[in-house]
Amino acid sequence: WLEELLQRESQGQSELGPAPELFSSILKSAATCHDDSESLLSVGQWTFWAMRDSRFGVNSLAYEWLLDIGLKVLASQKDNKRREDFLISLVEQCCRDGLLSVRFVKSLSSGRVFDEGWTAGERERICRQIFGDAPFPMHWSRNLCGRYSTPTPEDFCVAKQGYLSEE
């Protein structure tokens, strides 16, 4: 149905096109469901890029939901390289768009981890690789509204939040 609406919109029938809520509903459902199959990531990525290419564009929630989908689907050890590539690419794009939010950072730096694959140590390593050290450029969050949406240096620091022990 979404593809049909996108096709109509591309033909100039915008009154019959998709609404931003349709994209958001698909992404949120994929992020919050208990499924972790590869097809879920495919649907999430397709929906994200379709939303990005639409007249609506993406927002910080779209990035947050796609991050959640990717971390869920790519959690196993066999996906270490794919997960790292996915995370680096997603964070770079999010920062370029100025939509890096507190929730995105916290999902990445202090979200669910596993005994193998996406472990606490792997999470710390990738966060340090991606974010480096403070201060963090303000333009990473330039398109967010509200002072509570913009991450602070404390939001980036996993170890200070007590989620990781010192190694």
Side-chain angles (χ1 to χ4, degrees):
W1 177 242
L2 181 55
E3 286 181 70
E4 173 70 24
L5 293 175
L6 288 169
Q7 184 178 15
R8 288 179 183 186
E9 184 174 89
S10 71
Q11 296 169 348
Q13 301 173 6
S14 60
E15 70 280 356
L16 299 173
E21 296 82 14
L22 183 55
F23 295 104
S24 296
S25 295
I26 293 169
L27 288 170
K28 184 177 181 181
S29 295
T32 58
C33 77
H34 295 291
D35 185 20
D36 63 356
S37 67
E38 187 68 34
S39 63
L40 190 69
L41 182 58
S42 296
V43 167
Q45 288 178 310
W46 186 91
T47 304
F48 178 87
W49 289 107
M51 183 179 193
R52 183 175 179 71
D53 293 341
S54 76
R55 60 189 158 125
F56 309 111
V58 293
N59 56 27
S60 63
L61 287 173
Y63 275 106
E64 293 162 14
W65 290 323
L66 185 57
L67 173 65
D68 291 345
I69 295 165
L71 288 175
K72 177 172 46 173
V73 173
L74 301 173
S76 74
Q77 191 167 357
K78 70 175 178 55
D79 292 316
N80 282 352
K81 178 66 174 135
R82 273 186 69 208
R83 181 181 51 253
E84 182 173 334
D85 293 345
F86 169 83
L87 292 174
I88 290 169
S89 175
L90 187 65
V91 171
E92 286 175 353
Q93 188 63 50
C94 186
C95 291
R96 267 195 306 271
D97 287 346
L99 294 171
L100 189 70
S101 67
V102 169
R103 186 182 173 284
F104 184 96
V105 170
K106 287 187 175 184
S107 288
L108 182 56
S109 67
S110 60
R112 182 178 178 198
V113 293
F114 303 91
D115 293 334
E116 294 181 356
W118 184 238
T119 62
E122 180 64 11
R123 177 182 64 194
E124 179 178 21
R125 183 191 70 76
I126 198 75
C127 284
R128 289 187 195 284
Q129 177 184 343
I130 291 172
F131 297 124
D133 296 317
F136 305 103
M138 293 300 295
H139 68 268
W140 286 359
S141 301
R142 70 187 175 280
N143 292 319
L144 297 177
C145 298
R147 63 182 180 159
Y148 298 109
S149 300
T150 304
T152 64
E154 291 78 30
D155 295 319
F156 291 91
C157 185
V158 178
K160 282 186 180 177
Q161 293 174 347
Y163 291 99
L164 295 179
S165 59
E166 295 296 322
E167 294 182 6

